[in-house]
């Protein structure tokens, strides 16, 4: 049993913290939302009244917050996490944030003697509830080894990606691939429609040909070929277009800082921005098929 502090008990953090409780850990959690705190308490967690209280309660402290600005504020703000955690506490940020912030906060943590890992996840709310998340972890090997048993209570695949910031780098590179490949698959289905080629026939052929990829065979963006894909339930998420846009923007930010050429990533971000600005941000990201094929919504 490990004493764990958990800050950010939202759609992802809530079920992740609940799985830690289920695994027998003593979890003290905090969220600015009273409703999130109530759900956490109902799942057997101990509700704290501040970040400082949750931080001071743990040998390991996990954060799951919306974006980089929240992470900076929660860790380095006055009276916050870095000022409240006990000496020797291991800090783990599982939020998806920019690489620069991840490295800066880890550096500030190291300056106060704390080990810190960036450990963003993939697998969505379903993976968080089922404890089947994939963790992509950046930081020192000794901290990674220490985090393993805690992360194993929330996820199935746990990969040490390299030094600080590498987890975030892996996450945005993967999601840039996904955003681009989804648009590629959608364009092909939109062209097929114009050419009078049946969508199921294109699927049957491409699923066994060189166009094969996850966006096609697991998450097909047109209704029919893959019954479990969001296309068959009016594109209910899944993974929203808004979240895809967030990750594509993080990839663009990182590409600019690092001087990498990512022209298709830039186009993917622009297309998702159009879709989100058009009011479809809450739809699954595969609904970009509707946008590209000239359908509404
Ligand atoms: P969410 O908005 O549901 O949860 C974030 C929680 O943080 C909220 O409950 C909010 O009240 C709380 N919060 C904000 N500021 C706070 C503060 N200062 N102190 C304490 N609590 C604070 O978001 P989510 O869907 O749980 O996502 C969390 C992170 O996980 C994001 O970075 C997101 O990009 C990433 N992520 C989400 C998914 C997904 O499918 N939802 C998948 C992979 C990664």
């Amino acid at each position: 049993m490990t004493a764990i502090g958990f800050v950010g008990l939202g759609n992802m953090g809530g079920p992740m913290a609940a799985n830690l409780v289920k695994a027998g850990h003593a979890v003290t959690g905090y969220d600015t939302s009273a409703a999130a705190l109530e759900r956490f308490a109902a799942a057997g967690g101990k509700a704290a009244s501040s970040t400082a209280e949750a931080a001071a309660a743990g040998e390991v402290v996990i954060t799951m917050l919306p974006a980089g600005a929240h992470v900076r504020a929660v860790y380095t703000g006055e009276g916050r996490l870095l000022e409240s955690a006990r000496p020797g506490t291991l800090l783990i940020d599982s939020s998806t944030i920019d690489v620069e912030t991840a490295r800066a906060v880890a550096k500030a943590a190291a300056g106060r003697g704390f080990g810190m890992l960036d450990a963003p996840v993939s697998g969505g709310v379903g993976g968080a509830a089922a404890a089947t998340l994939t963790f992509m972890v950046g930081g020192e090997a000794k901290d990674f080894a220490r985090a393993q048993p805690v992360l194993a209570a929330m996820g199935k695949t746990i990969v040490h990606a390299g030094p600080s910031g590498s987890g975030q780098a892996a996450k945005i590179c993967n999601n840039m691939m996904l955003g681009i490949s989804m648009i590629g698959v959608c364009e092909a289905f939109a062209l097929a429609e114009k050419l009078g080629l049946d969508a199921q026939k294109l699927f049957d052929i491409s699923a066994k040909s060189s166009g094969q990829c996850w966006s096609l065979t697991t998450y097909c963006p047109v209704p029919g070929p893959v019954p479990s894909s969001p296309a068959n339930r009016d594109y209910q998420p899944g993974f929203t277009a808004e979240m895809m846009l967030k990750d594509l923007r993080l990839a663009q930010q990182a590409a600019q800082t690092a001087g990498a050429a990512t022209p298709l990533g830039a186009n993917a971000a622009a297309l998702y921005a159009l879709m989100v600005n058009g009011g479809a941000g809450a739809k699954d990201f595969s609904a970009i098929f509707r946008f590209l094929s000239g359908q509404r919504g």
Side-chain angles (χ1 to χ4, degrees), residues 105-140:
V105 174
K107 199 172 165 196
R112 287 175 173 263
F114 297 113
M116 180 164 182
L117 300 169
D118 50 293
V121 299
S122 98
V125 176
T132 56
L133 292 170
T134 294
F135 283 89
M136 301 155 239
V137 187
E140 289 188 19

Side-chain angles (χ1 to χ4, degrees), residues 28 36 39 46 54 56 89 111 124 135 147 183 188 193 226-227 251 254 263:
T28 304
R39 279 192 297 272
K46 179 169 183 273
T89 299
F135 283 89
I183 290 168
E193 199 173 277
V226 178

Side-chain angles (χ1 to χ4, degrees), residues 158-210:
I158 303 161
V159 181
H160 188 202
S164 180
S166 303
Q168 299 295 351
K171 168 88 185 171
I172 58 176
C173 288
N174 178 72
N175 281 16
M176 187 177 80
M177 260 187 247
L178 173 62
I180 292 169
S181 72
M182 179 54 77
I183 290 168
V185 170
C186 290
E187 282 190 7
F189 275 104
L191 175 61
E193 199 173 277
K194 293 277 187 214
L195 297 176
L197 172 63
D198 180 62
Q200 183 67 51
K201 292 288 178 200
L202 175 61
F203 178 86
D204 292 344
I205 293 164
S206 287
K208 301 285 179 213
S209 304
S210 46

Side-chain angles (χ1 to χ4, degrees), residues 46 75 83 95 213 279 282 287:
K46 179 169 183 273
Y75 278 83
E83 288 185 356
S95 326
C213 65

